[in-house]
Amino acid sequence: MKSIIQFSKVFLPAVIISLVLIVSGIVGYVVYGGFNLGVDFQAGLIQEIQFAPTALQLTYTGKGIAGISMDKNKLEIVISGSDVEKKTYSFPYATYQNLGAMVDAMASIEGLSVKLLVSRDVSSAALVQSAQGNPRLGSAAYGVHYLDPQSGAVNIADVRKALTSLGSVSVQNLGQPKDRKFLIRIEDKGKEADFAKLTAERINTALQNAFGEGQIAISRTDYVGARFSKHLTEQAGMLLVLTLLLILVYVSFRFKFHYAAGAVLAILHDGLIMVAFIVWLRMEFNTTTIAAILTILGYSINDTIVIFDRIRETLKLYPNSSFEENLNRAITETLARTFITTITTMFAVFALFFFTTGTMKDFSLALLIGMTSGVYSTIFIASAFVLFWEKKVQKNAVKAADAASTGLKKA
């Protein structure tokens, strides 16, 4: 027979460790003044910029409408319109390995003028896409930026200094220093009617004044109004509360109430542990974070239900054993299943963590933290609470029996 691991002996130390982690999360929340809120939960403008000089300037004066699109492998120009036949001109970086070759090839497009601002030998793969301006080409020059591999990192202090005239501005590094990427966030206090447009223009002007014209590529711009931000925050809170209530009802129906209370306590523990790590790691708290937390709540409750089912079966198979012994036996028997399920799931999440960036990387990191916490809480929080409850019930039953026996003796 497989030896039974005495998990119950470390329930108390495990609970203490959990309390320390949760309290540290509360301390971090106070120290940092709250979460690193994403634009979803904080009214304001958020811009992702990259310090990348302008490599090409394109203008189009031909027939129809010309649009430009880029990805990591190619640059494309599409000519369309009611009076012209739609044509797509593709310039793969593998074929046109330097900007000189690409500009020469673009000369065949009627009505398109291309001005090269850097050396012809610059690699085409160094081009970066910018969200600035309209991807539709016209008489006004459209800039295509590039990341010079020889350029040094940009000091975040210099970026903050350049934006001091805009008031309270949050600036964060993105990616590696060599990427020269930054995230800029400015809160909307509701004092300007056209806040998003005016603030985006101010950011661009301030950075160009400090670092030079044409040196900034804007990769992303998002804006959320105060009303939507407040509504989204309220909905997220209601969603979490409703999830906990539904789990409480479901587990109460399937088992007993104290099992349900233990399960809810365990998923509350998982949520708070994830929040503690999110606070200290300064991960952006956004809708993706909420999705990660809800995913872990479902993952954790599934593991808890499996162990509770095994406890119930073990109590029937070994009626003469104590509840504590049966609980340890049930956890031991399901331990292999728990680890195999968790590790195989983590393989997929590790792939996301190592091969993605930005929001998806934060999402996968939150999942890894939550999965680890979910296994831990099922064994050391949910099961510990059930054992505590059962011991208390047994203790009260013994007291009641002793009181009844004493009463009979007196009578």
Side-chain angles (χ1 to χ4, degrees), residues 264-381:
V264 170
L265 193 64
I267 59 177
L268 273 174
H269 165 276
D270 296 335
L272 291 173
I273 292 295
M274 289 180 71
V275 165
F277 277 91
I278 289 168
V279 167
W280 282 110
L281 295 176
R282 301 312 294 157
M283 292 167 58
E284 187 176 288
F285 193 88
N286 49 31
T287 49
T288 305
T289 311
I290 295 294
I293 292 174
L294 290 175
T295 300
I296 291 304
L297 296 190
Y299 184 89
S300 178
I301 193 62
N302 177 68
D303 195 29
T304 302
I305 293 298
V306 169
I307 289 184
F308 281 178
D309 261 332
R310 184 58 63 91
I311 292 173
R312 185 166 55 183
E313 292 174 4
T314 306
L315 289 172
K316 294 177 182 179
L317 292 173
Y318 304 95
N320 296 324
S321 300
S322 66
F323 184 86
E324 183 173 356
E325 186 179 346
N326 281 324
L327 182 140
N328 287 324
R329 180 183 285 110
I331 297 174
T332 302
E333 290 174 350
T334 55
L335 193 62
R337 178 262 177 204
T338 299
F339 276 114
I340 291 171
T341 302
T342 303
I343 290 172
T344 51
T345 308
M346 279 185 169
F347 284 150
V349 181
F350 270 122
L352 289 176
F353 179 75
F354 287 114
F355 299 110
T356 61
T357 58
T359 304
M360 187 57 67
K361 192 178 188 72
D362 287 345
F363 175 74
S364 57
L365 178 59
L367 287 182
L368 290 171
I369 295 167
M371 286 181 186
T372 305
S373 175
V375 173
Y376 174 89
S377 66
T378 296
I379 298 173
F380 297 107
I381 303 299

Side-chain angles (χ1 to χ4, degrees), residues 37-312:
L37 292 174
V39 69
D40 304 330
F41 294 103
Q42 181 178 340
L45 181 80
I46 185 169
Q47 273 197 346
E48 184 179 315
I49 67 163
Q50 186 171 23
F51 286 86
T54 304
L56 307 172
Q57 286 185 338
L58 287 75
T59 57
Y60 183 73
T61 55
K63 293 182 179 181
I65 299 170
I68 182 172
S69 63
M70 296 171 59
D71 58 31
K72 63 180 181 179
N73 297 315
K74 64 182 180 301
L75 181 150
E76 287 187 340
I77 294 176
V78 180
I79 311 293
S80 62
S82 57
D83 56 341
V84 297
E85 181 183 354
K86 183 176 180 180
K87 291 183 179 179
T88 300
Y89 299 89
S90 183
F91 303 94
Y93 302 150
T95 303
Y96 306 94
Q97 296 184 3
N98 59 60
L99 294 185
M102 183 177 288
V103 170
D104 292 342
M106 287 181 177
S108 63
I109 302 177
E110 186 178 351
L112 180 69
S113 298
V114 184
K115 184 178 181 181
L116 182 62
L117 303 180
V118 295
S119 169
R120 291 176 58 88
D121 296 328
V122 171
S123 172
S124 300
L127 294 178
V128 297
Q129 188 171 12
S130 170
Q132 186 176 10
N134 193 333
R136 181 180 295 179
L137 303 179
S139 57
Y142 179 86
V144 178
H145 298 260
Y146 82 107
L147 185 62
D148 186 354
Q150 304 301 321
S151 299
V154 176
N155 194 325
I156 191 171
D158 294 335
V159 181
R160 290 186 177 127
K161 183 179 179 180
L163 299 171
T164 50
S165 61
L166 303 183
S168 179
V169 181
S170 171
V171 182
Q172 292 177 277
N173 282 304
L174 288 180
Q176 301 298 320
K178 64 180 181 180
D179 296 329
R180 311 174 87 201
K181 279 189 175 184
F182 297 90
L183 192 70
I184 300 170
R185 183 187 294 112
I186 300 180
E187 184 181 356
D188 182 5
K189 298 181 179 178
K191 295 180 180 180
E192 290 182 316
D194 203 3
F195 174 84
K197 181 180 178 182
L198 293 175
T199 303
E201 291 174 353
R202 289 168 188 159
I203 292 173
N204 190 41
T205 301
L207 291 174
Q208 288 198 20
N209 289 340
F211 297 96
E213 189 174 351
Q215 301 297 307
I216 311 298
I218 299 176
S219 307
R220 176 170 65 97
T221 301
D222 290 322
Y223 173 75
V224 171
R227 182 179 298 178
F228 179 78
S229 175
K230 182 180 179 182
H231 179 65
L232 189 62
T233 303
E234 291 174 351
Q235 279 193 327
M238 290 178 60
L239 185 62
L240 288 172
V241 171
L242 183 60
T243 300
L244 293 175
L245 287 175
L246 289 175
I247 289 173
L248 182 65
V249 171
Y250 167 71
V251 183
S252 296
F253 176 78
R254 184 165 178 180
F255 299 95
K256 297 177 181 178
F257 176 78
H258 60 285
Y259 282 79
V264 170
L265 193 64
I267 59 177
L268 273 174
H269 165 276
D270 296 335
L272 291 173
I273 292 295
M274 289 180 71
V275 165
F277 277 91
I278 289 168
V279 167
W280 282 110
L281 295 176
R282 301 312 294 157
M283 292 167 58
E284 187 176 288
F285 193 88
N286 49 31
T287 49
T288 305
T289 311
I290 295 294
I293 292 174
L294 290 175
T295 300
I296 291 304
L297 296 190
Y299 184 89
S300 178
I301 193 62
N302 177 68
D303 195 29
T304 302
I305 293 298
V306 169
I307 289 184
F308 281 178
D309 261 332
R310 184 58 63 91
I311 292 173
R312 185 166 55 183

